[in-house]
Amino acid sequence: MYLTAEVTLQEEVAKGIYRLRIFTPTIASLASPGQFGMIRGWEGYDPLLPRPLSFHRIDFQCGQVEFVYKVAGRGTALMSQWRPGHRVALLGPLGNGFHPPAAPAIAVVGRGMGTVPLLPLVESARREGIGVFSFLSASQACGLVDLDRFVGCSDQIFVRTDDGSLGAPGVVSEDLERVAESTRLSAIYCCGSRRLARAARDLAIRLRIPAYVSLEEHMGCGVGACKGCVCETAGGYRKVCKDGPVFELNEVVI
Amino acid sequence: MARTEVALGPLTLKNPVMPASGTFGYGEENAGAFDPGELGAVVAKSVRLEPAPGNPPPRLVETPAGLINAVGIPSEGVDAFIRDQMPLLRQTGTVVIVSIAGSTAPQYGELAARLSKVPGIDALELNLSCPNIGHGLPFAQDPGLLAEAVSAARSNTGLPIIAKMSPNVTDIAAMSKIALDAGADILAIANTVNAMVIDIWKRQPVLGNVAGGLSGPAIRPIAVRNVWRVYEQLEAPIIGSGGIATWQDAVEFLLAGARAVAVGVANFINPNAMKEIIEGIQRYLDSQGFESVEDIIGLAHAARRSQ
């Protein structure tokens, strides 16, 4: 769907990290965890392209979707100036989202902004009574947005930060390994760290469970036409926007 | 209501608006904002003789009002294209243009021969100007290779041939003349402009292929001038392209001498862009009292001559 929609909330949740809420009942009713939207809300041609953002929250009942983004360049800097009532052009939902979670339990492994697309996944697992084990890391505690929601949806949660501002010293890949070996998991989902994704892949192969990764890439069209956002896979280049952004972990080269 | 139907050499388009190759899908790779059948023509992503992976990522980098791409024409190869893509193209119900890219001049002949046997193709566009493949210059930058590639296609097809030219030459009209003499029917003016970006922190080029082709509003005045120049020098029908994002931009190209326009990056900025351009051209013709889009083609030249 390509439509215009209204910003209903913009707040800086940590330094340089913003929550953007948009009222769009159509897209909220169609979106699933792991999918993304292309969003643009400025006049003129500089920046030129819309920005791809993963859904952080999909609220079908209120007709709203939420994105969380870090200001990284001119596009996101402009985005952070939008206030409630500002109108944006939104194309979505796009891409293949996460494989639907299955019983008995899933593990999610995210680092920093990579935890953002995992939230709707754990929320949907929770709603369906599927167990959730969360393994989250960041350079510092403020880089983990909506940690309370992850806590509320998780049977068990492990948090590690590089600066020790939250959680005990250590790496979540080891937490994941420990839990995965003693708990029956239906799948592992990763986002935000190649190192963690490699660790999850090796573990998933050993335990013979499926594992998925959500990838990020600069995009042109967002719908597969321009072939600008490819990643390397066992079967050659594949389009992050159309074939992904979620891929089976053992299929992509990371 | 003014007529938007336009003659483009041997082709007749219901309106002068089409996508630039590789920027707009006609099947699943499409934002679904409108029916591609409403376009004057659909243009498929360039197809190659054999499957090719394209360039390593990153393939795109944004610049002020522009986008540099070094996609490198990934292709499923002509056999898979005919099998998988042609049924979708035929279903669009508008003029179908298939873009072909050879690695060597004779490959244009082989591709033209193969595709001429396939029902549902109205014209072949020769992509002679992709800056992102091969080691030497693109065909459209080398007079000898250009003539050879177009001749190879010409002697293997009865379909109308569109030669997509490069702006990266000293005189685009002189190169276009070579393409016409070798048998091209229509000129596409023009492809992307050579460009690159260096990451000052990594101290290396951003694109996987080092350099690429710049498109978008940043190059529009360059493209307008190229269309103007070719229209002035040659009789051939022209498809204008380069940074067209609005109906006003499209009208500017028509006034410069293009008989049709191809829209590229604007499809990424606004999936509805081409539909809005078609509607805007219609409103412009009606409000300015023209009976047909044909009346404004090259009109800026006439105004200048009468002064």
Side-chain angles (χ1 to χ4, degrees):
Chain A
M1 293 296 298
Y2 180 62
L3 40 79
T4 57
E6 202 172 288
V7 173
T8 53
L9 175 97
Q10 170 99 262
E11 64 176 2
E12 189 170 14
V13 292
K15 188 162 171 52
I17 299 175
Y18 291 80
R19 178 196 312 281
L20 176 66
R21 196 176 292 155
I22 310 263
F23 181 72
T24 173
T26 314
I27 289 177
S29 71
L30 296 171
S32 62
Q35 289 191 298
F36 67 99
M38 298 287 279
I39 189 164
R40 197 177 194 277
W42 49 81
E43 291 300 311
Y45 301 126
D46 189 22
L48 187 67
L49 299 170
R51 296 300 190 244
L53 293 177
S54 285
F55 296 110
H56 177 64
R57 198 165 193 211
I58 302 161
D59 191 339
F60 169 62
Q61 284 176 339
C62 298
Q64 305 200 88
V65 294
E66 215 173 88
F67 302 105
V68 167
Y69 62 94
K70 190 179 203 166
V71 172
R74 297 200 46 244
T76 41
L78 282 172
M79 203 178 278
S80 70
Q81 304 299 311
W82 299 344
R83 293 293 167 260
H86 183 80
R87 295 193 70 78
V88 299
L90 188 58
L91 174 65
L94 301 172
N96 291 312
F98 292 111
H99 192 272
I106 61 166
V108 299
V109 186
R111 180 168 169 87
M113 294 303 288
T115 60
V116 166
L118 296 172
L119 185 65
L121 176 71
V122 303
E123 288 189 331
S124 100
R126 190 66 173 182
R127 272 197 302 275
E128 288 166 37
I130 295 161
V132 174
F133 294 87
S134 296
F135 305 86
L136 309 181
S137 82
S139 54
Q140 45 190 331
C142 61
L144 292 170
V145 177
D146 291 337
L147 190 56
D148 56 332
R149 285 203 202 145
F150 276 99
V151 171
C153 292
S154 302
D155 293 278
Q156 220 180 339
I157 185 164
F158 298 83
V159 177
R160 307 282 185 177
T161 50
D162 302 351
D163 69 352
S165 51
L166 196 66
V171 287
V172 284
S173 48
E174 285 169 11
D175 301 325
L176 170 68
E177 197 169 339
R178 217 170 39 249
V179 169
E181 276 168 357
S182 59
T183 313
R184 207 157 71 80
L185 296 172
S186 59
I188 304 173
Y189 300 83
C190 302
C191 187
S193 160
R194 288 183 177 254
R195 188 189 65 78
L196 287 177
R198 279 192 294 269
R201 177 195 58 200
D202 296 345
L203 185 65
I205 290 171
R206 189 148 57 79
L207 300 175
R208 299 199 178 138
I209 54 174
Y212 306 94
V213 63
S214 175
L215 299 179
E216 189 178 43
E217 187 55 75
H218 289 285
M219 290 181 186
C221 66
V223 295
C226 76
K227 302 178 171 66
C229 62
V230 292
C231 64
E232 206 179 335
T233 74
Y237 292 131
R238 298 191 73 197
K239 293 171 279 191
V240 174
C241 70
K242 187 76 184 178
D243 301 320
V246 176
F247 291 90
E248 288 198 28
L249 197 41
N250 58 11
E251 166 193 29
V252 293
V253 178
I254 49 170
Chain B
M1 289 261 283
R3 290 187 307 280
T4 56
E5 191 177 272
V6 67
L8 182 69
L11 303 174
T12 302
L13 311 183
K14 62 183 158 196
N15 64 63
V17 181
M18 66 180 78
S21 174
T23 64
F24 182 80
Y26 30 84
E28 283 195 344
E29 291 162 350
N30 182 296
F34 65 92
D35 173 7
E38 294 180 38
L39 297 167
V42 286
V43 185
K45 171 89 183 163
S46 296
V47 60
R48 295 164 78 158
L49 202 54
E50 303 292 341
N55 287 330
R59 291 178 169 183
L60 302 177
V61 59
E62 204 181 38
T63 61
L67 176 69
I68 307 178
N69 90 79
V71 172
I73 316 188
S75 175
E76 68 271 62
V78 70
D79 291 326
F81 173 82
I82 292 168
R83 187 188 63 228
D84 302 334
Q85 304 301 315
M86 276 312 301
L88 299 171
L89 282 160
R90 261 182 231 117
Q91 276 173 17
T92 59
T94 187
V95 169
V96 173
I97 297 171
V98 172
S99 171
I100 61 176
S103 304
T104 62
Q107 282 193 2
Y108 285 92
E110 285 181 61
L111 283 160
R114 290 292 311 277
L115 291 161
S116 296
K117 298 192 195 91
V118 178
I121 299 176
D122 297 294
L124 295 179
E125 178 174 274
L126 313 189
N127 183 350
L128 301 159
S129 43
C130 175
N132 297 321
I133 56 171
H135 302 290
L137 285 174
F139 295 91
Q141 288 174 246
D142 180 315
L145 279 178
L146 173 61
E148 214 183 306
V150 178
S151 301
R154 179 74 291 160
S155 50
N156 280 285
T157 186
L159 289 170
I161 289 179
I162 303 165
K164 186 155 185 178
M165 306 304 296
S166 170
N168 306 309
V169 293
T170 308
D171 183 356
I172 196 168
M175 296 302 282
S176 296
K177 174 81 166 45
I178 292 170
L180 293 173
D181 290 346
D185 303 286
I186 300 161
L187 299 166
I189 308 293
N191 211 317
T192 55
V193 176
N194 284 344
M196 72 181 287
V197 170
I198 292 169
D199 183 322
I200 64 161
W201 303 111
K202 290 184 184 164
R203 292 179 271 277
Q204 63 184 41
V206 171
L207 293 169
N209 195 46
V210 179
L214 178 63
S215 60
I219 69 162
R220 197 180 71 232
I222 299 173
V224 171
R225 156 68 183 161
N226 282 330
V227 168
W228 176 277
R229 165 88 184 150
V230 172
Y231 182 86
E232 213 170 39
Q233 300 284 314
L234 304 168
E235 296 286 311
I238 298 166
I239 302 168
S241 70
I244 297 170
T246 65
W247 66 263
Q248 291 94 332
D249 302 340
V251 166
E252 190 181 1
F253 276 79
L254 298 172
L255 293 171
R259 303 193 65 84
V261 293
V263 178
V265 168
N267 296 317
F268 309 166
I269 307 169
N270 169 12
N272 227 356
M274 290 189 289
K275 188 177 166 63
E276 290 172 10
I277 290 170
I278 294 168
E279 291 164 356
I281 292 171
Q282 179 78 63
R283 282 196 309 275
Y284 176 80
L285 296 173
D286 293 339
S287 68
Q288 298 294 305
F290 293 104
E291 284 175 13
S292 161
V293 70
E294 296 269 355
D295 298 340
I296 68 166
I297 292 163
L299 197 57
H301 294 263
R304 187 170 161 271
R305 278 194 292 270
S306 67
Q307 271 167 11

mmCIF file of all heavy atoms in Angstrom, chain A residues 168-193:
data_model
loop_
_atom_site.group_PDB
_atom_site.id
_atom_site.type_symbol
_atom_site.label_atom_id
_atom_site.label_comp_id
_atom_site.label_asym_id
_atom_site.label_seq_id
_atom_site.Cartn_x
_atom_site.Cartn_y
_atom_site.Cartn_z
ATOM 1 N N ALA A 168 25.197 -8.413 33.954
ATOM 2 C CA ALA A 168 26.519 -8.843 34.408
ATOM 3 C C ALA A 168 27.468 -8.865 33.214
ATOM 4 O O ALA A 168 27.029 -8.916 32.074
ATOM 5 C CB ALA A 168 26.402 -10.228 35.031
ATOM 6 N N PRO A 169 28.772 -8.823 33.480
ATOM 7 C CA PRO A 169 29.719 -8.941 32.353
ATOM 8 C C PRO A 169 29.527 -10.287 31.647
ATOM 9 O O PRO A 169 29.124 -11.262 32.265
ATOM 10 C CB PRO A 169 31.091 -8.874 33.037
ATOM 11 C CG PRO A 169 30.844 -8.346 34.414
ATOM 12 C CD PRO A 169 29.439 -8.699 34.772
ATOM 13 N N GLY A 170 29.802 -10.309 30.351
ATOM 14 C CA GLY A 170 29.655 -11.558 29.610
ATOM 15 C C GLY A 170 29.044 -11.305 28.254
ATOM 16 O O GLY A 170 28.777 -10.156 27.903
ATOM 17 N N VAL A 171 28.857 -12.364 27.487
ATOM 18 C CA VAL A 171 28.282 -12.212 26.146
ATOM 19 C C VAL A 171 27.010 -13.043 26.027
ATOM 20 O O VAL A 171 26.934 -14.152 26.552
ATOM 21 C CB VAL A 171 29.294 -12.616 25.040
ATOM 22 C CG1 VAL A 171 30.376 -11.564 24.894
ATOM 23 C CG2 VAL A 171 29.896 -13.969 25.298
ATOM 24 N N VAL A 172 26.004 -12.487 25.357
ATOM 25 C CA VAL A 172 24.714 -13.191 25.280
ATOM 26 C C VAL A 172 24.801 -14.473 24.455
ATOM 27 O O VAL A 172 23.975 -15.366 24.629
ATOM 28 C CB VAL A 172 23.572 -12.294 24.716
ATOM 29 C CG1 VAL A 172 23.092 -11.309 25.747
ATOM 30 C CG2 VAL A 172 23.932 -11.650 23.414
ATOM 31 N N SER A 173 25.820 -14.574 23.586
ATOM 32 C CA SER A 173 25.920 -15.817 22.805
ATOM 33 C C SER A 173 26.139 -17.013 23.735
ATOM 34 O O SER A 173 25.650 -18.119 23.471
ATOM 35 C CB SER A 173 27.036 -15.703 21.760
ATOM 36 O OG SER A 173 28.204 -15.201 22.339
ATOM 37 N N GLU A 174 26.858 -16.773 24.827
ATOM 38 C CA GLU A 174 27.067 -17.874 25.785
ATOM 39 C C GLU A 174 25.782 -18.176 26.563
ATOM 40 O O GLU A 174 25.476 -19.336 26.844
ATOM 41 C CB GLU A 174 28.211 -17.536 26.745
ATOM 42 C CG GLU A 174 29.561 -17.666 26.052
ATOM 43 C CD GLU A 174 30.719 -17.095 26.862
ATOM 44 O OE1 GLU A 174 30.531 -16.771 28.064
ATOM 45 O OE2 GLU A 174 31.816 -16.969 26.282
ATOM 46 N N ASP A 175 25.027 -17.107 26.890
ATOM 47 C CA ASP A 175 23.723 -17.311 27.548
ATOM 48 C C ASP A 175 22.815 -18.135 26.641
ATOM 49 O O ASP A 175 22.142 -19.069 27.076
ATOM 50 C CB ASP A 175 23.053 -15.961 27.833
ATOM 51 C CG ASP A 175 23.903 -15.066 28.726
ATOM 52 O OD1 ASP A 175 24.593 -15.607 29.613
ATOM 53 O OD2 ASP A 175 23.871 -13.840 28.519
ATOM 54 N N LEU A 176 22.817 -17.766 25.362
ATOM 55 C CA LEU A 176 21.969 -18.455 24.386
ATOM 56 C C LEU A 176 22.340 -19.935 24.315
ATOM 57 O O LEU A 176 21.472 -20.810 24.345
ATOM 58 C CB LEU A 176 22.134 -17.805 23.008
ATOM 59 C CG LEU A 176 21.505 -18.547 21.833
ATOM 60 C CD1 LEU A 176 19.978 -18.524 21.921
ATOM 61 C CD2 LEU A 176 21.936 -17.930 20.488
ATOM 62 N N GLU A 177 23.626 -20.190 24.254
ATOM 63 C CA GLU A 177 24.092 -21.569 24.140
ATOM 64 C C GLU A 177 23.631 -22.405 25.342
ATOM 65 O O GLU A 177 23.126 -23.521 25.185
ATOM 66 C CB GLU A 177 25.619 -21.562 24.044
ATOM 67 C CG GLU A 177 26.172 -22.863 23.512
ATOM 68 C CD GLU A 177 27.653 -22.757 23.175
ATOM 69 O OE1 GLU A 177 28.144 -21.617 22.978
ATOM 70 O OE2 GLU A 177 28.297 -23.808 23.127
ATOM 71 N N ARG A 178 23.791 -21.818 26.513
ATOM 72 C CA ARG A 178 23.406 -22.508 27.749
ATOM 73 C C ARG A 178 21.908 -22.830 27.753
ATOM 74 O O ARG A 178 21.502 -23.955 27.997
ATOM 75 C CB ARG A 178 23.753 -21.618 28.948
ATOM 76 C CG ARG A 178 24.262 -22.385 30.148
ATOM 77 C CD ARG A 178 24.827 -21.495 31.249
ATOM 78 N NE ARG A 178 24.089 -20.263 31.479
ATOM 79 C CZ ARG A 178 24.555 -19.061 31.188
ATOM 80 N NH1 ARG A 178 25.749 -18.914 30.625
ATOM 81 N NH2 ARG A 178 23.834 -17.977 31.438
ATOM 82 N N VAL A 179 21.094 -21.849 27.414
ATOM 83 C CA VAL A 179 19.643 -22.048 27.429
ATOM 84 C C VAL A 179 19.226 -23.034 26.342
ATOM 85 O O VAL A 179 18.432 -23.947 26.583
ATOM 86 C CB VAL A 179 18.902 -20.695 27.257
ATOM 87 C CG1 VAL A 179 17.409 -20.917 26.998
ATOM 88 C CG2 VAL A 179 19.105 -19.821 28.480
ATOM 89 N N ALA A 180 19.787 -22.843 25.143
ATOM 90 C CA ALA A 180 19.374 -23.678 24.012
ATOM 91 C C ALA A 180 19.680 -25.158 24.255
ATOM 92 O O ALA A 180 18.982 -26.042 23.773
ATOM 93 C CB ALA A 180 20.066 -23.204 22.738
ATOM 94 N N GLU A 181 20.729 -25.415 25.004
ATOM 95 C CA GLU A 181 21.091 -26.812 25.247
ATOM 96 C C GLU A 181 20.201 -27.477 26.294
ATOM 97 O O GLU A 181 20.149 -28.694 26.367
ATOM 98 C CB GLU A 181 22.570 -26.901 25.637
ATOM 99 C CG GLU A 181 23.422 -26.918 24.363
ATOM 100 C CD GLU A 181 24.898 -26.724 24.616
ATOM 101 O OE1 GLU A 181 25.275 -26.523 25.790
ATOM 102 O OE2 GLU A 181 25.657 -26.763 23.642
ATOM 103 N N SER A 182 19.510 -26.674 27.097
ATOM 104 C CA SER A 182 18.675 -27.260 28.142
ATOM 105 C C SER A 182 17.172 -27.041 27.902
ATOM 106 O O SER A 182 16.356 -27.492 28.673
ATOM 107 C CB SER A 182 19.072 -26.667 29.510
ATOM 108 O OG SER A 182 18.898 -25.267 29.480
ATOM 109 N N THR A 183 16.830 -26.301 26.843
ATOM 110 C CA THR A 183 15.424 -25.972 26.599
ATOM 111 C C THR A 183 15.084 -26.337 25.158
ATOM 112 O O THR A 183 15.914 -26.172 24.263
ATOM 113 C CB THR A 183 15.205 -24.434 26.754
ATOM 114 O OG1 THR A 183 15.845 -24.007 27.943
ATOM 115 C CG2 THR A 183 13.731 -24.088 26.784
ATOM 116 N N ARG A 184 13.858 -26.810 24.950
ATOM 117 C CA ARG A 184 13.474 -27.129 23.576
ATOM 118 C C ARG A 184 12.982 -25.849 22.887
ATOM 119 O O ARG A 184 11.996 -25.252 23.301
ATOM 120 C CB ARG A 184 12.391 -28.212 23.550
ATOM 121 C CG ARG A 184 12.408 -29.038 22.268
ATOM 122 C CD ARG A 184 11.767 -30.392 22.484
ATOM 123 N NE ARG A 184 10.316 -30.267 22.644
ATOM 124 C CZ ARG A 184 9.464 -30.119 21.624
ATOM 125 N NH1 ARG A 184 9.910 -30.090 20.389
ATOM 126 N NH2 ARG A 184 8.173 -30.018 21.842
ATOM 127 N N LEU A 185 13.721 -25.420 21.859
ATOM 128 C CA LEU A 185 13.363 -24.208 21.119
ATOM 129 C C LEU A 185 12.860 -24.588 19.730
ATOM 130 O O LEU A 185 13.376 -25.522 19.106
ATOM 131 C CB LEU A 185 14.594 -23.306 20.968
ATOM 132 C CG LEU A 185 15.212 -22.721 22.237
ATOM 133 C CD1 LEU A 185 16.523 -22.011 21.909
ATOM 134 C CD2 LEU A 185 14.244 -21.769 22.934
ATOM 135 N N SER A 186 11.850 -23.850 19.251
ATOM 136 C CA SER A 186 11.369 -24.116 17.890
ATOM 137 C C SER A 186 12.212 -23.363 16.856
ATOM 138 O O SER A 186 12.345 -23.799 15.715
ATOM 139 C CB SER A 186 9.896 -23.713 17.749
ATOM 140 O OG SER A 186 9.743 -22.340 18.033
ATOM 141 N N ALA A 187 12.797 -22.235 17.252
ATOM 142 C CA ALA A 187 13.622 -21.462 16.317
ATOM 143 C C ALA A 187 14.376 -20.360 17.054
ATOM 144 O O ALA A 187 13.996 -19.960 18.155
ATOM 145 C CB ALA A 187 12.754 -20.831 15.227
ATOM 146 N N ILE A 188 15.444 -19.880 16.407
ATOM 147 C CA ILE A 188 16.197 -18.722 16.912
ATOM 148 C C ILE A 188 16.068 -17.600 15.886
ATOM 149 O O ILE A 188 16.171 -17.846 14.675
ATOM 150 C CB ILE A 188 17.691 -19.065 17.107
ATOM 151 C CG1 ILE A 188 17.864 -20.278 18.031
ATOM 152 C CG2 ILE A 188 18.458 -17.859 17.647
ATOM 153 C CD1 ILE A 188 19.304 -20.773 18.141
ATOM 154 N N TYR A 189 15.825 -16.386 16.375
ATOM 155 C CA TYR A 189 15.691 -15.207 15.496
ATOM 156 C C TYR A 189 16.741 -14.184 15.889
ATOM 157 O O TYR A 189 16.863 -13.856 17.070
ATOM 158 C CB TYR A 189 14.299 -14.581 15.660
ATOM 159 C CG TYR A 189 13.155 -15.505 15.327
ATOM 160 C CD1 TYR A 189 12.685 -16.418 16.264
ATOM 161 C CD2 TYR A 189 12.535 -15.453 14.089
ATOM 162 C CE1 TYR A 189 11.622 -17.264 15.965
ATOM 163 C CE2 TYR A 189 11.465 -16.281 13.778
ATOM 164 C CZ TYR A 189 11.009 -17.197 14.722
ATOM 165 O OH TYR A 189 9.966 -18.016 14.424
ATOM 166 N N CYS A 190 17.471 -13.649 14.887
ATOM 167 C CA CYS A 190 18.565 -12.716 15.177
ATOM 168 C C CYS A 190 18.415 -11.412 14.416
ATOM 169 O O CYS A 190 17.895 -11.384 13.299
ATOM 170 C CB CYS A 190 19.901 -13.276 14.698
ATOM 171 S SG CYS A 190 20.312 -14.817 15.404
ATOM 172 N N CYS A 191 18.982 -10.362 15.005
ATOM 173 C CA CYS A 191 19.099 -9.094 14.280
ATOM 174 C C CYS A 191 20.106 -8.185 14.970
ATOM 175 O O CYS A 191 20.139 -8.114 16.203
ATOM 176 C CB CYS A 191 17.739 -8.395 14.200
ATOM 177 S SG CYS A 191 17.766 -6.928 13.157
ATOM 178 N N GLY A 192 20.936 -7.532 14.185
ATOM 179 C CA GLY A 192 21.753 -6.444 14.723
ATOM 180 C C GLY A 192 23.215 -6.738 14.967
ATOM 181 O O GLY A 192 23.962 -5.831 15.313
ATOM 182 N N SER A 193 23.645 -7.986 14.804
ATOM 183 C CA SER A 193 25.056 -8.304 15.034
ATOM 184 C C SER A 193 25.454 -9.516 14.211
ATOM 185 O O SER A 193 24.853 -10.589 14.340
ATOM 186 C CB SER A 193 25.308 -8.579 16.512
ATOM 187 O OG SER A 193 26.511 -9.305 16.688
#
